[in-house]
Amino acid sequence: MGTTDRADRFYADQVLDRLNPRMRAFVNRQEMFFLATADRHGACDNTFRAGPPGFLHVLDEATLAYPEYRGNGVHASLGNIEENPQVGILMVDFLRDRIGLHVNGTARGLTDDEIRREHPWLPVEEVPGRRALVWVVITVEEAYIHCAKHIPHLQKAPARGQGRSWGTDDVKRKGGDFFGAALEAPERGPYLPPPRPDADAATWRAEAERVLARAERYGHGSPARVTAGTESPPEATPFRGWFSRSTSV
């Protein structure tokens, strides 16, 4: 793209391997951030985390920590971190400074007891929905600015109703079926989860055979093969995860 010199100047001038005092002050007043993770195969996930100001705690200039609240039970980010500790955090201040901060590094999970042995000063939440199930501790490798030029300037709206419903299981208060996915689920076919860790050997063997057969059928994870007598390889159908359009299990 012809921007190597500009990129080199940015790295030389703006990228730190720690959080300087102004970055730490910025982190301490944030109420939300975006979290990027990937599993061991590189399949990515991006999610949103929010809490009271300072819920993303600065433990020191090279370490951050945040509590994982009760959610939908999927734990996609925690699962990815178990397989691949590399994470990317983006904080954007839309309200005051209209600026952003990137923090890239490695993460690990700790129980509430484990982190408090090292950091007993961490606050104990009185709101049940904000009590940490587990803490994610991030070792900072890169910290750098996200420039202001395309960040919209927003303002807070007055709270409506009961405000944020921390930890609720009420479907309507969580957003219900806002995108209509549940209505379309029957067309998708049944969800076929992989075997649980305590499944017996026969179950795992059957699952391995099923996955290998599916990979063979769709060409997932292997080069396209040229069929004899053809000029080009057949187009491979992409792998579509753990869903099957077949109604028989």
Side-chain angles (χ1 to χ4, degrees), residues 115-134:
I115 196 170
R116 290 186 190 281
R117 282 199 290 269
E118 296 182 33
H119 305 282
W121 54 268
L122 287 168
V124 178
E125 283 291 348
E126 297 181 0
V127 179
R130 290 207 306 256
R131 289 174 188 161
L133 298 177
V134 68

Side-chain angles (χ1 to χ4, degrees), residues 10-21:
F10 179 82
Y11 269 89
D13 294 342
Q14 292 294 334
V15 181
L16 301 180
D17 60 356
R18 65 192 183 284
L19 300 167
N20 68 17

Side-chain angles (χ1 to χ4, degrees), residues 25-34 48-57 66-67 69 89-96 130 155-157 164 166:
F26 182 88
V27 173
N28 282 331
R29 61 176 181 265
Q30 299 311 304
E31 298 181 57
M32 61 183 182
F33 65 86
F34 301 94
F48 172 80
R49 291 289 182 269
F55 82 106
L56 178 59
H57 297 275
Y66 69 88
Y69 303 141
I89 285 178
L90 172 61
M91 291 160 271
V92 182
D93 186 339
F94 297 98
L95 307 176
R96 173 178 149 178
R130 290 207 306 256
Q155 63 183 26
K156 280 190 175 182
R164 289 186 280 190
W166 298 101

Side-chain angles (χ1 to χ4, degrees), residues 37-40 43-45 75-85:
T37 61
D39 67 13
R40 65 181 179 272
C44 299
D45 183 76
H75 301 304
S77 300
L78 290 175
N80 284 349
I81 288 169
E82 283 293 311
E83 296 189 358
N84 175 1

